Amino acid sequence: MLGYHVPDPDEAMLVSGGRGKDNAPFRVVIGHGAFVVPLFRKVRYLSLAMFESEIGERCVTKQGIQLDVRAVIAFKVANDTASIVNAAQRFLSEQEREMSVLTGRIFSGHLRSIVGSMTVEEIIRERQKLADEVLMASKVEMSNIGLWVDSFQIQSIDDGNLGYIAALAAPHNAAVQRDAQIAQSQAAQEAAKAEQESQRKQAEYQRETAILRAQYQRDIDKANAEAAQSGPLAQANALQEVLTAQAVQARKQAELREQQLQAEVVKPAQAEAERVRILAQAEADRTRIQAEAAASNNRIALDQLLIEQLPEIVAQASRGLAGANLTVLNGPDGVSEVVNGMVGQGLTVFDSLRKALSVNTERAATAVDRVQE
């Protein structure tokens, strides 16, 4: 729009050709636009941005030692109208160069003055104090020319290879190196301890692992051995059971054979022996009776005696047969056969006795007759 001007955010618009506020020689516009009458008013701009100025001065300390000090200053035109008017009247033609040069000179003068009141040790130890004192001393002059200092920093302090600062730093450097060596040694010891502890733990882990592996291998070998022996062991147990069963069967067969031998051989032999004994006993009794009858020379008496002794003979024969042990092998038929046999044998014995007694009686009678004749 014709006649309307707007400054940038970091600029102050200066409108000359009329009176400003507070008896200012020109009107200052910041942050907004304004109408300017052409031909009757003139518009100029003043930067409100930040500027830098570097300084490097050789200063003499309180001890007479020369120090090369380098510093940097950050400054700008202040935001109030009075400061803008003061800065514009001094720096508007060549703002950046003129402000930087003047600011550097102001700070250089105050820097030399303050360094001259301090020792090297104070400057080295209290660098920020030096910067603060220089800044405070310069603010009044900077304010008079409309400038505001944001910061002042000491960049470097050098004694020009005199070795004074290095000598001051030597004990500290030695202490730092000593502390560094001690710390390094302690760190090395801790590292060695940690390494030893790690190796010890690794060895313990390896030992435990080896033990567990050995136990696992032992269990595996045992299981394999039991599995390998299970077949032969089962076969041996089965064979042992077969042998035991065969032994039991053989023992039963032996007992059965023994019973058969008792029934077939021993018992009949015992019965035959008993029968022979009974027959012999009967024969002896018959002879005795005959002798007694012959001696008595009485046939009737002999017959009577024989009749009287006959029940005893039969009783003894019965007792002899009753004492015989017989084994029945064929059930009721066998019992009948044995009983019939015994009865037949008894009858045979009795008939033999009767015949023998008859013959002997006749012989005895003949003998008695002969004796009587």
Side-chain angles (χ1 to χ4, degrees):
M1 183 181 292
L2 181 63
Y4 191 80
H5 298 269
V6 180
D8 291 336
D10 60 347
E11 287 183 337
M13 185 172 67
L14 309 178
V15 181
S16 59
R19 289 287 179 177
K21 293 182 180 180
D22 299 328
N23 296 321
F26 46 82
R27 185 161 61 104
V28 178
V29 179
I30 302 174
H32 59 86
F35 283 100
V36 178
V37 179
L39 302 177
F40 295 98
R41 299 287 185 269
K42 187 176 182 178
V43 177
R44 301 286 299 274
Y45 296 96
L46 180 69
S47 176
L48 301 179
M50 180 70 66
F51 295 93
E52 282 188 1
S53 178
E54 293 185 0
I55 60 174
E57 288 293 325
R58 175 163 289 185
C59 307
V60 179
T61 66
K62 184 179 180 180
Q63 302 158 310
I65 299 173
Q66 292 184 353
L67 295 178
D68 293 329
V69 182
R70 297 182 62 82
V72 63
I73 308 140
F75 65 94
K76 65 181 291 294
V77 177
N79 293 329
D80 60 283
T81 302
S83 297
I84 292 173
V85 170
N86 291 333
Q89 290 177 341
R90 291 172 174 82
F91 311 114
L92 186 59
S93 59
E94 294 184 11
Q95 181 181 354
E96 182 177 356
R97 188 184 66 84
E98 291 179 358
M99 284 194 305
S100 297
V101 172
L102 182 58
T103 299
R105 289 175 181 177
I106 293 172
F107 273 87
S108 295
H110 290 291
L111 179 63
R112 288 192 300 269
S113 174
I114 295 172
V115 168
S117 66
M118 300 175 67
T119 64
V120 177
E121 290 81 1
E122 291 175 344
I123 294 172
I124 297 300
R125 291 194 303 267
E126 302 176 2
R127 180 178 296 189
Q128 188 59 43
K129 178 182 178 182
L130 172 62
D132 293 340
E133 290 183 359
V134 173
L135 181 60
M136 292 299 296
S138 303
K139 273 188 175 181
V140 176
E141 296 181 18
M142 295 291 288
S143 177
N144 291 335
I145 60 177
L147 300 180
W148 172 263
V149 180
D150 284 338
S151 69
F152 174 75
Q153 296 293 330
I154 303 296
Q155 289 184 321
S156 65
I157 300 174
D158 188 10
D159 60 359
N161 296 324
L162 293 177
Y164 191 88
I165 297 177
L168 292 177
H172 178 70
N173 292 335
V176 171
Q177 292 178 359
R178 182 184 66 252
D179 295 341
Q181 291 177 354
I182 293 174
Q184 185 176 4
S185 177
Q186 292 177 350
Q189 292 179 358
E190 294 296 331
K193 290 181 180 179
E195 181 66 20
Q196 292 176 357
E197 182 68 16
S198 176
Q199 292 179 357
R200 184 181 65 80
K201 289 183 178 180
Q202 289 180 359
E204 291 180 354
Y205 176 77
Q206 292 176 356
R207 181 178 62 83
E208 293 175 356
T209 302
I211 292 174
L212 290 176
R213 287 180 178 174
Q215 292 177 352
Y216 293 154
Q217 188 62 41
R218 185 176 65 248
D219 295 339
I220 292 173
D221 294 341
K222 182 179 179 182
N224 292 334
E226 291 178 352
Q229 294 177 358
S230 60
L233 182 60
Q235 185 177 3
N237 291 333
L239 181 59
Q240 181 65 32
E241 293 178 358
V242 171
L243 294 176
T244 302
Q246 291 178 352
V248 171
Q249 184 178 4
R251 184 172 65 254
K252 291 182 178 180
Q253 291 178 353
E255 292 177 354
L256 180 60
R257 182 58 180 166
E258 182 180 0
Q259 293 176 0
Q260 291 177 352
L261 291 175
Q262 288 285 341
E264 295 175 357
V265 178
V266 176
K267 296 300 183 180
Q270 291 178 350
E272 181 64 20
E274 185 67 19
R275 186 180 66 82
V276 172
R277 185 186 66 79
I278 292 171
L279 293 176
Q281 182 66 33
E283 182 66 21
D285 292 339
R286 184 182 65 81
T287 303
R288 179 177 58 81
I289 292 171
Q290 289 177 354
E292 290 178 356
S296 63
N297 199 18
N298 189 349
R299 182 173 183 177
I300 297 174
L302 181 60
D303 293 335
Q304 184 65 33
L305 181 60
L306 177 60
I307 292 171
E308 292 177 357
Q309 293 295 326
L310 184 59
E312 182 64 22
I313 293 171
V314 174
Q316 289 181 0
S318 298
R319 284 195 299 271
L321 293 175
N325 292 324
L326 300 176
T327 302
V328 177
L329 298 177
N330 296 322
D333 296 335
V335 172
S336 299
E337 292 175 1
V338 171
V339 172
N340 293 331
M342 292 175 61
V343 172
Q345 291 177 0
L347 293 177
T348 303
V349 171
F350 182 76
D351 185 60
S352 299
L353 290 176
R354 185 178 59 81
K355 291 179 179 181
L357 288 176
S358 176
V359 173
N360 290 330
T361 302
E362 291 179 355
R363 290 178 179 177
T366 305
V368 172
D369 294 336
R370 288 179 180 178
V371 172
Q372 289 177 358
E373 292 178 355

